[in-house]
Amino acid sequence: MKKNLCLLLLTFFFALGLQAQSGSIRGVVSDAASGETIIGANVRLEGTSLGVATGLDGDFEITRVEPGSYTLVISFISYKSIRFEDIQVVAEKATVLNVKLEEDLGDLGEVVVMATRETGSNVAIVSEIRKSLQVVSGISADQIKLSQDGNAAQVMKRVSGVTIVDNKFVRVRGVDDRYNVVMINNAIAPSTQVDKRTFSFDLIPSENLDRMMIYKSPSPEVPGDFAGGLVKVFTKNAPDEDFINFGMGVGFRNGTSLQDYKQTRGSKTDVLGFDTSRDLPKNFPTTDQLLNASGGSPLRAEAGRLLDNNYGVNTSTALPNLSSGLSFGKNWSLGGKRLSTVTSFTWAQNQQYYQAERNRYFFPVPGAITEKRDEYFDDYYSKSNEVGIMSNWLLRLNKDNKIEFRNLFNQTGLNETVLREGKDFVQRTEGARDYAFRYESKLIYSGQLEGTHFFNDEQTKLNWVLGGNYMYQEEPDFRRLRSYFSTEGSEGQYVINDPPASSPQDLGRFYGYLKDYGISNGVNFEKKFKGVEKDRPRILRAGYLVDYKARNFNARYITTYYPGFHETGSKENLIRLPIDQSFAPENYRNNDGWLIQEGTRPTDSYDASTLVSAGYIGGVYPLGAFNFSGGVRTEYSIQQLDSRNDGGLVRVDKRELAVLPSFNMDYNINKKSLIRGGYGKTLNRPEFREFAPFLYYSFEYLAGFFGNPNLEMARIDNFDLRYEFYPNEGETFSFGAFYKFFDKPIETVQQNVTEQLQFTYANAVDATVYGVELEARKAFSSFTSAPFLRDLSFNVNASLIWSEVFLGDDVSFQDSRRALQGQSPYVVNAALYYINPNSNVQISAAYNVTGPRIFVAGNANNPEIYEMPRQAIDLTVSKTFRDRTTFKFGVQDLLNFQYRFYQDSNFDRKIDTKVDDPMYLWKKGSLFSASLSYRIK
């Protein structure tokens, strides 16, 4: 590891080199008629990659320009573009220009192409954060390019107060990801998981991102169902210029690539992320037919012979990770209108191997050594295939009207093989060998049709959005079986464990199917009124949002078993055969073979829906150095779920009206600094899976997950205070504090059941979360012109968080207060960048760590399980040749730090790895990757 680190550091410094002396071009852009400065105008040197957007005061500076003669082009929407030819740049000197743009009252077409507002740059992000009336953090497309991040989840690690769980789920300010709401552009995104409300950010390739913003305080115009943050993902829309981009990448993961890889037979379409061979045969008996069949019915043997005997484990060599992509952007002029698109196609395949240690324990006694119940070592193999399509369209009718149509499609398939060995110290003391073969495919589509219209010289704005989501997930033929080591005979052998009744762990085959539908419609109206200051109008805002989601879930359990009335000798032979021979079709027969029984229960299916109708009214009122904003939002929700259990119908029907006031204020100390504060009330509704009385057994965690129909909606009071300082264009420093009070927070907790762990969801009485945040973005060029140093910049953010949940006065045999489940006490993200526009070399190093957090809350018998801190370092080097070809090399997770989950065996609310006991441990290996892209302009 030290050798690799030294080598990479040498590469880092060697790539920097010494740069020649250069000059700069700076100035101010203003309106020729009014004299007002123009924010966001595009300033670029023709024929180069150098360019900037004007800042908050209309100012700009293009630095590190080689001496010579240039043509400068300045453009902005609804203004005539202007060209300055033969601009002379002299070493170590600044060329100063004061530019006045005139309004373009004619055909807007060509102006739109040259003056599309830049939203993905660092300058634009900082400007958006400053002008926001809420507490907000964000990351730009510029920052994304400097990393080796392949998807939105990896990008989010760079944002202040954000942590990533399972490499795809986002937590804001250390609060569990179920407390976030995600919007793709301006429409609510679907939940991508069966068992909780969350969004898999790994589904969105990083190259499709324009910017990502995390709003941490509420306001009337945004959905109220969050406590951590509102995450807005903006995808690319209209290109500055026409382009076609080709890209491909390869990745080598330590311990996986070019090593032995094992899995069962797949389908021909696995490479495209979906399955065509694992589902139940069409003529397979129905659930009712098997339940009504007698114990010795021939139907049970016939059903077994129809099943695919897919238990053979094949060994191959793991390929390096592979990816490819094609994207293009195009602008068309249509009789004074402008049609634009950005469309991309991506494909990726990743393989992974690691060994994981998994343990269970008897009930711990403080002060005594905890005895192990199970000790297992899993060889985990996975292959994922993903196809992604993004197609965004923009029709600009004129300078006041535009219509946008955005589409995001993703098809993902995941093949998992787990080969487990170890001991069950109660039932399989001589040895255990277990198997799990699982495939999951997931189709997600999200689309939005949005219109934006300005009236009365942009004093009135109307925005409308129609959104639709669809998700289909299937888990066909999840096969699990266990075996034990028998000492009978001269050498002994592993023997298949055949259950007397249906069991999710033994000889079980699970088939799960889920469909989610969603449709939403929102309208937002904004009216500006003249204020005391010309550029600070008073604003009235009003609107509504209707969001409907529905889910249909069906699962089926099939179990192979050997009846007690069958001939005993044949059973002894079958359970000693290799698993791919034991379950051959000919071994399903009456009298002396395997039979099939139905394990499906009434709880294994449910239908659910949520309808939210919301309306709001709010406004902005500037007064001197103050800006006041706020209003009230009302949300009426209807949540319904229909399922069954052994006692009959289970129905959830919850109807609630929530009134959500919010108030925000900022005080502008001067042009470069301000203080902002705010209060808002939000809520958090239970999700479908949390309501559903459905038990799902996780082979990975050796535990079952069970829903709770009695969950109630949580309500949260949010307080924020932050100081912000903007020393230079694209730079920021902020320090803030926040406080949250939860009424009836929803947590994942353990249940007391015999033999196995079982997790469920429950409301605590209340909880508080409070903390402080620090963020800084700084470029060295603002205080030095020395070669190398002036090309450096850094971005660091950190959060320190405290939490306490109250379980109630009637809690027995355990403390009534502890940390909130899923909350991290600290988060640190840091990045150092080197960017040289002359050589087009970019280098970055990023660091991330999060504090220990409760993975699952405990009870009097079962202690909390904590996820321990994990430090990560990523390095990236990229080089662009002739503004067309880009080569990028990077290392993800250089430290290869261990994933660690410990139980609090002595119940002292903290983890000491010398005293407390490990539950789950594994390392995934560092990923070395390289990519090459070519852009045609």
Side-chain angles (χ1 to χ4, degrees):
M1 179 57 66
K2 289 183 178 179
K3 177 187 273 187
N4 289 340
L5 183 57
C6 291
L7 180 60
L8 286 164
L9 289 175
L10 285 172
T11 303
F12 182 95
F13 287 108
F14 177 76
L16 301 182
L18 295 176
Q19 307 300 322
Q21 290 182 332
S22 59
S24 63
I25 303 174
R26 60 181 172 86
V28 176
V29 179
S30 60
D31 186 297
S34 67
E36 293 181 1
T37 58
I38 298 175
I39 303 173
N42 291 322
V43 183
R44 61 184 179 87
L45 289 180
E46 196 172 69
T48 76
S49 61
L50 300 178
V52 296
T54 56
L56 301 175
D57 298 317
D59 56 321
F60 69 90
E61 183 176 15
I62 303 177
T63 59
R64 298 181 289 278
V65 183
E66 293 296 314
S69 179
Y70 296 88
T71 296
L72 186 72
V73 180
I74 302 174
S75 59
F76 190 64
I77 191 167
S78 77
Y79 286 84
K80 294 179 180 178
S81 299
I82 189 168
R83 294 163 57 92
F84 291 89
E85 298 182 351
D86 198 27
I87 298 294
Q88 297 297 320
V89 176
V90 180
E92 300 298 322
K93 291 187 178 181
T95 301
V96 181
L97 294 172
N98 290 316
V99 183
K100 296 186 181 297
L101 294 183
E102 297 179 355
E103 284 191 272
D104 189 343
L105 303 178
D107 182 5
L108 188 64
E110 291 302 316
V111 177
V112 173
V113 174
M114 297 187 64
T116 300
R117 182 183 292 272
E118 179 64 61
T119 58
S121 69
N122 290 329
V123 173
I125 285 290
V126 172
S127 177
E128 185 170 349
I129 291 172
R130 172 168 183 148
K131 291 186 291 184
S132 173
L133 298 170
Q134 303 159 256
V135 175
V136 61
S137 299
I139 189 167
S140 67
D142 284 354
Q143 289 175 279
I144 294 170
K145 291 177 184 177
L146 294 174
S147 70
Q148 194 68 12
D149 298 334
N151 57 61
Q154 296 168 356
V155 170
M156 292 287 281
K157 291 188 295 186
R158 321 296 178 198
V159 181
S160 175
V162 169
T163 54
I164 301 299
V165 181
D166 295 336
N167 296 312
K168 53 189 173 183
F169 307 126
V170 168
R171 288 177 175 165
V172 180
R173 288 176 165 174
V175 178
D176 192 83
D177 49 343
R178 68 169 329 285
Y179 287 104
N180 300 327
V181 64
V182 178
M183 300 184 75
I184 299 178
N185 299 302
N186 288 313
I188 296 176
S191 177
T192 57
Q193 298 303 113
V194 177
D195 56 346
K196 61 181 178 178
R197 184 183 87 163
T198 190
F199 182 80
S200 297
F201 284 88
D202 61 330
L203 299 179
I204 304 178
S206 59
E207 67 176 23
N208 292 342
L209 297 174
D210 179 70
R211 67 197 188 280
M212 300 176 72
M213 307 296 291
I214 296 89
Y215 296 87
K216 301 176 182 178
S217 62
S219 64
E221 60 270 17
V222 302
D225 192 356
F226 76 94
L230 166 65
V231 182
K232 271 196 172 186
V233 178
F234 295 91
T235 52
K236 294 178 180 178
N237 201 343
D240 293 328
E241 57 186 356
D242 295 351
F243 72 89
I244 300 175
N245 193 80
F246 304 91
M248 61 183 63
V250 62
F252 183 92
R253 186 179 293 278
N254 279 346
T256 298
S257 301
L258 306 183
Q259 304 297 312
D260 284 348
Y261 176 81
K262 299 182 179 182
Q263 73 169 51
T264 57
R265 172 174 35 85
S267 74
K268 295 180 180 179
T269 56
D270 282 5
V271 69
L272 297 176
F274 64 94
D275 169 69
T276 53
S277 69
R278 296 177 178 87
D279 210 347
L280 280 170
K282 293 183 178 179
N283 56 342
F284 193 82
T286 66
T287 296
D288 288 340
Q289 287 175 327
L290 282 176
L291 288 176
N292 295 327
S294 62
S297 170
L299 183 67
R300 297 185 179 276
E302 293 171 6
R305 290 192 289 269
L306 291 173
L307 293 175
D308 185 10
N309 178 30
N310 192 6
Y311 286 95
V313 179
N314 303 311
T315 301
S316 61
T317 299
L319 296 174
N321 292 349
L322 303 172
S323 63
S324 61
L326 167 67
S327 61
F328 66 89
K330 179 69 177 175
N331 295 286
W332 294 272
S333 181
L334 306 173
K337 301 176 179 59
R338 181 61 57 178
L339 179 65
S340 306
T341 185
V342 173
T343 297
S344 68
F345 306 87
T346 59
W347 174 86
Q349 176 175 284
N350 299 302
Q351 290 183 263
Q352 172 79 70
Y353 165 77
Y354 60 83
Q355 187 176 81
E357 178 183 345
R358 305 190 185 279
N359 302 301
R360 279 198 305 162
Y361 300 86
F362 292 103
F363 295 146
V365 177
I369 297 177
T370 307
E371 292 187 60
K372 281 187 177 180
R373 170 65 170 78
D374 304 313
E375 180 184 59
Y376 297 119
F377 297 92
D378 291 358
D379 285 326
Y380 174 87
Y381 302 87
S382 72
K383 178 190 287 185
S384 64
N385 292 91
E386 180 178 325
V387 174
I389 301 174
M390 186 198 76
S391 186
N392 291 351
W393 296 79
L394 167 65
L395 176 62
R396 186 175 290 280
L397 302 172
N398 50 49
K399 70 182 183 67
D400 292 325
N401 297 277
K402 66 178 181 179
I403 295 175
E404 297 167 276
F405 182 40
R406 302 184 182 96
N407 301 272
L408 182 66
F409 170 87
N410 188 275
Q411 177 72 57
T412 304
L414 176 65
N415 195 330
E416 294 179 316
T417 298
V418 181
L419 307 179
R420 173 175 293 167
E421 293 207 20
K423 287 187 178 182
D424 175 338
F425 293 102
V426 175
Q427 297 177 343
R428 298 182 291 170
T429 58
E430 297 298 326
R433 180 178 290 171
D434 302 340
Y435 306 83
F437 310 112
R438 177 177 178 268
Y439 183 84
E440 174 190 271
S441 68
K442 187 182 301 179
L443 181 154
I444 295 176
Y445 169 77
S446 178
Q448 303 99 36
L449 182 65
E450 179 176 4
T452 304
H453 312 279
F454 290 96
F455 308 92
N456 303 324
D457 197 21
E458 298 190 0
Q459 297 303 299
T460 303
K461 177 182 176 182
L462 180 68
N463 169 266
W464 54 267
V465 180
L466 179 64
N469 300 313
Y470 174 73
M471 181 177 76
Y472 177 69
Q473 177 177 309
E474 66 176 8
E475 198 173 342
D477 202 9
F478 181 9
R479 305 176 301 287
R480 293 160 289 189
L481 62 94
R482 299 191 298 174
S483 66
Y484 62 93
F485 190 80
S486 172
T487 56
E488 296 180 6
S490 58
E491 297 182 358
Q493 68 177 124
Y494 281 95
V495 176
I496 296 172
N497 193 49
D498 66 310
S502 179
S503 166
Q505 303 177 61
D506 296 307
L507 305 189
R509 304 179 79 147
F510 171 84
Y511 301 81
Y513 308 92
L514 177 145
K515 291 182 180 179
D516 265 4
Y517 309 86
I519 187 169
S520 62
N521 172 238
V523 172
N524 303 285
F525 173 81
E526 180 180 292
K527 173 66 177 177
K528 295 180 179 179
F529 301 89
K530 290 183 179 180
V532 177
E533 301 177 49
K534 185 177 180 180
D535 60 342
R536 297 177 64 205
R538 291 169 290 180
I539 303 174
L540 173 67
R541 291 172 176 155
Y544 73 83
L545 173 68
V546 178
D547 182 44
Y548 176 77
K549 294 184 293 185
R551 171 177 292 183
N552 171 260
F553 176 77
N554 288 283
R556 191 171 181 186
Y557 282 104
I558 305 296
T559 300
T560 295
Y561 79 114
Y562 195 95
F565 53 82
H566 276 196
E567 194 271 320
T568 306
S570 179
K571 170 186 174 180
E572 294 302 316
N573 291 330
L574 287 175
I575 62 177
R576 284 170 168 77
L577 289 174
I579 59 174
D580 58 330
Q581 298 177 25
S582 180
F583 303 108
E586 61 270 19
N587 291 329
Y588 286 89
R589 55 184 182 265
N590 289 93
N591 302 320
D592 63 350
W594 299 115
L595 297 182
I596 292 295
Q597 63 178 334
E598 186 77 34
T600 308
R601 295 160 298 177
T603 57
D604 293 332
S605 65
Y606 63 88
D607 293 290
S609 65
T610 295
L611 173 64
V612 178
S613 302
Y616 73 89
I617 185 168
V620 180
Y621 195 97
L623 184 62
F626 290 91
N627 269 328
F628 299 97
S629 65
V632 64
R633 182 183 186 88
T634 60
E635 294 193 359
Y636 180 71
S637 61
I638 302 174
Q639 290 189 284
Q640 296 178 321
L641 181 140
D642 291 305
S643 184
R644 304 186 70 88
N645 59 23
D646 294 334
L649 180 67
V650 175
R651 181 169 177 80
V652 174
D653 189 351
K654 293 186 179 292
R655 302 165 185 258
E656 298 192 64
L657 175 65
V659 180
L660 309 173
S662 62
F663 174 77
N664 292 282
M665 178 196 73
D666 62 67
Y667 174 72
N668 290 276
I669 302 172
N670 52 48
K671 288 187 176 182
K672 293 189 174 183
S673 62
L674 61 86
I675 296 176
R676 68 170 87 241
Y679 162 78
K681 197 171 189 67
T682 57
L683 53 85
N684 184 237
R685 298 182 183 93
E687 274 299 296
F688 298 143
R689 175 63 186 94
E690 296 167 340
F691 273 138
F694 164 63
L695 177 64
Y696 179 83
Y697 177 74
S698 170
F699 190 86
E700 179 182 6
Y701 293 111
L702 306 170
F705 287 80
F706 192 73
N708 178 6
N710 298 315
L711 281 178
E712 298 184 53
M713 183 172 72
R715 297 174 188 262
I716 307 100
D717 292 286
N718 306 269
F719 298 85
D720 285 275
L721 182 66
R722 187 159 81 169
Y723 168 77
E724 299 174 8
F725 176 55
Y726 299 89
N728 296 289
E729 187 179 80
E731 298 180 348
T732 182
F733 171 83
S734 66
F735 178 78
F738 62 90
Y739 174 88
K740 298 177 182 291
F741 177 80
F742 294 73
D743 180 36
K744 300 178 181 177
I746 300 171
E747 298 186 298
T748 303
V749 300
Q750 295 189 54
Q751 285 184 307
N752 288 322
V753 294
T754 59
E755 284 301 309
Q756 72 175 41
L757 287 172
Q758 186 161 300
F759 304 151
T760 188
Y761 313 94
N763 292 102
V765 175
D766 60 53
T768 56
V769 176
Y770 56 96
V772 293
E773 294 176 318
L774 172 71
E775 180 176 13
R777 305 184 192 199
K778 183 66 179 176
F780 284 42
S781 60
S782 62
F783 57 81
T784 181
S785 60
F788 168 57
L789 291 178
R790 67 189 179 189
D791 296 323
L792 292 173
S793 63
F794 70 85
N795 183 358
V796 61
N797 60 76
S799 301
L800 191 60
I801 307 163
W802 295 264
S803 72
E804 184 178 79
V805 64
F806 178 53
L807 304 177
D809 294 322
D810 57 347
V811 173
S812 302
F813 306 109
Q814 64 173 323
D815 294 338
S816 61
R817 298 184 184 274
R818 55 162 168 78
L820 182 67
Q821 181 263 324
Q823 175 265 320
S824 296
Y826 60 84
V827 180
V828 178
N829 298 305
L832 178 65
Y833 304 105
Y834 172 83
I835 308 171
N836 188 283
N838 297 320
S839 63
N840 283 322
V841 171
Q842 300 177 347
I843 304 174
S844 69
Y847 170 80
N848 168 261
V849 66
T850 61
R853 56 192 173 211
I854 296 177
F855 173 64
V856 178
N859 53 36
N861 293 322
N862 300 296
E864 270 84 42
I865 300 174
Y866 283 78
E867 182 177 357
M868 301 302 292
R870 186 175 183 279
Q871 303 184 64
I873 292 179
D874 300 336
L875 299 176
T876 304
V877 179
S878 69
K879 166 70 176 176
T880 300
F881 303 89
R882 296 187 178 181
D883 203 26
R884 291 181 181 273
T885 305
T886 300
F887 174 76
K888 185 183 290 187
F889 170 79
V891 185
Q892 282 186 14
D893 200 7
L894 177 65
L895 301 179
N896 191 23
F897 210 84
Q898 189 177 47
Y899 291 81
R900 300 173 298 159
F901 293 76
Y902 274 73
Q903 74 170 15
D904 181 20
S905 300
N906 59 1
F907 293 89
D908 65 351
R909 305 296 187 197
K910 60 183 179 181
I911 296 297
D912 182 343
T913 56
K914 297 179 181 179
V915 176
D916 298 304
D917 299 298
M919 294 286 288
Y920 318 117
L921 303 171
W922 69 85
K923 287 185 176 183
K924 289 190 173 182
S926 301
L927 177 64
F928 297 79
S929 57
S931 64
L932 183 68
S933 64
Y934 181 75
R935 190 179 185 92
I936 302 174
K937 297 184 180 181

